[in-house]
Amino acid sequence: MAIRRLLPGVLALCLGALLARGLALSLGVNNLLLAIALGVVVTNVVGVPARLESGIATHKLWLGAGIVLMGASISVGTVLEVGGRVFLVVIAVATLTLIVVELLARNVFGLAERLGSLLAAGASICGVSAVVAVAGAVSAREEQVAYAAATVLLFDAITIAVYPIVGDLLALPSTVFGIWAGVSMFSTGPVVAVGFAHSEVAGQWATMTKLSRNALIGVVVLAYASYYARSGDGDTPSVRTLWAEFPKFVVGFLALAAVSSLGVFSTAQQASIEHAYNWLFLLAFVGLGTEIQLGELRRTGVMPAFVVLLSLLVASSLSLALLLVLF
């Protein structure tokens, strides 16, 4: 049975979450970042047994569920008040990142077209998910997908460590830090982790900003599919394919936020929901940590990593300067 196959890995995630929570309370550190660290240590020092792999892979499901539940604590009025400015920043930074990666990859470092496109999609939209989505639309080779995914994961690991330090050194306000993480970091899990590591408000803004950025995945996939189809090297994706790649938890998050804005949930119920999604995030981040395999990251090529590093420095510095002016 599927449940019996998944149960050992899910129990391992639960034990990791409990351990992270207990250690965080004892050491006075953030429990979400500690959960990721535990996953990294386990996968790189001990290794994940094969019988646990399928259950641990459910960490993406727990992350999505936590994000959906977080919608109950979001004030739609606040989102509408500043949401327009945030969405404009999201579009501007995503577009800038994509263009910078494409230009550097093709014109400066001479990378293959498809590899450059995969790196651009991963850096500008939603990490490995965007790499996989665009790869299917442009008929990229498997080794190119693996190369781009490894590069994105490398910077996920780096930004998880660096962004909280920068936020503390610059004493960034919660709203600014959250939006900054949401527009410039790559994957959803690390964004949520560093956001909530800063503060509850930063975590909410980081998540909302990242979700709006994730929603652009369909546009990017269509744009790349059209470009490569015109050159005779790609396939136009169907509506079913686009929906399959679209992050469904965005819809759930918005629906629950709308319901919550109607005053359906009491203060006690909202507190319970917040407690629930905090535990779901702990489960998710233990699993996320197991995906950061240092051996794989060491094998990432220098040139793709350098291209992405330059684009990240440009996008993160410009977006932070812009956000400090706007907010």
Side-chain angles (χ1 to χ4, degrees):
M1 293 177 61
I3 294 178
R4 184 176 297 176
R5 180 171 54 86
L6 297 176
L7 189 57
V10 173
L11 288 176
L13 290 180
C14 292
L15 289 174
L18 288 170
L19 181 59
R21 184 65 176 266
L23 288 175
L25 290 174
S26 301
L27 301 174
V29 298
N30 182 266
N31 56 7
L32 297 179
L33 297 182
L34 188 55
I36 294 175
L38 283 176
V40 173
V41 170
V42 168
T43 195
N44 289 282
V45 176
V46 180
V48 177
R51 63 190 180 89
L52 301 182
E53 288 179 353
S54 57
I56 289 177
T58 63
H59 69 85
K60 295 178 182 178
L61 173 64
W62 308 128
L63 176 63
I67 289 174
V68 170
L69 288 181
M70 203 187 77
S73 62
I74 298 300
S75 168
V76 173
T78 302
V79 175
L80 293 176
E81 183 180 341
V82 297
R85 283 178 290 168
V86 172
F87 193 61
L88 288 176
V89 173
V90 166
I91 294 175
V93 175
T95 303
L96 173 66
T97 302
L98 189 145
I99 291 173
V100 169
V101 173
E102 285 283 7
L103 289 176
L104 289 174
R106 298 182 186 214
N107 301 326
V108 179
F109 294 96
L111 299 181
E113 269 196 345
R114 281 174 179 73
L115 177 57
S117 297
L118 297 182
L119 292 171
S124 64
I125 305 299
C126 53
V128 174
S129 298
V131 169
V132 173
V134 170
V138 306
S139 303
R141 299 196 307 271
E142 288 186 5
E143 62 268 24
Q144 292 175 326
V145 178
Y147 222 39
T151 303
V152 167
L153 289 173
L154 170 64
F155 284 95
D156 282 343
I158 292 172
T159 52
I160 285 173
V162 172
Y163 268 60
I165 295 172
V166 174
D168 288 341
L169 288 176
L170 299 180
L172 296 178
S174 293
T175 300
V176 171
F177 181 82
I179 298 172
W180 179 52
V183 299
S184 57
M185 290 177 66
F186 296 165
S187 301
T188 303
V191 168
V192 176
V194 301
F196 279 101
H198 185 278
S199 67
E200 183 74 19
V201 172
Q204 292 178 352
W205 276 109
T207 305
M208 289 188 292
T209 305
K210 189 65 176 68
L211 293 185
S212 64
R213 191 168 146 212
N214 290 355
L216 299 175
I217 189 171
V219 177
V220 172
V221 170
L222 280 175
Y224 273 120
S226 300
Y227 171 80
Y228 283 97
R230 281 200 300 270
S231 64
D233 296 327
D235 301 316
T236 302
S238 64
V239 174
R240 179 179 296 181
T241 301
L242 290 174
W243 175 246
E245 299 296 343
F246 186 82
K248 311 298 188 301
F249 51 77
V250 174
V251 178
F253 171 87
L254 293 174
L256 200 58
V259 170
S260 178
S261 297
L262 298 175
V264 173
F265 302 116
S266 66
T267 302
Q269 288 172 328
Q270 285 188 321
S272 297
I273 292 172
E274 180 179 338
H275 188 68
Y277 73 67
N278 283 332
W279 275 107
L280 286 171
F281 285 156
L282 269 178
L283 289 177
F285 294 147
V286 172
L288 174 64
T290 65
E291 290 193 350
I292 302 175
Q293 299 184 23
L294 301 181
E296 292 294 327
L297 298 182
R298 282 195 293 269
R299 286 192 286 272
T300 302
V302 174
M303 288 306 168
F306 196 55
V307 168
V308 174
L309 173 62
L310 290 177
S311 71
L312 177 62
L313 292 174
V314 170
S316 61
S317 57
L318 291 180
S319 60
L320 180 56
L322 179 59
L323 290 169
L324 288 172
V325 171
L326 291 177
F327 297 94

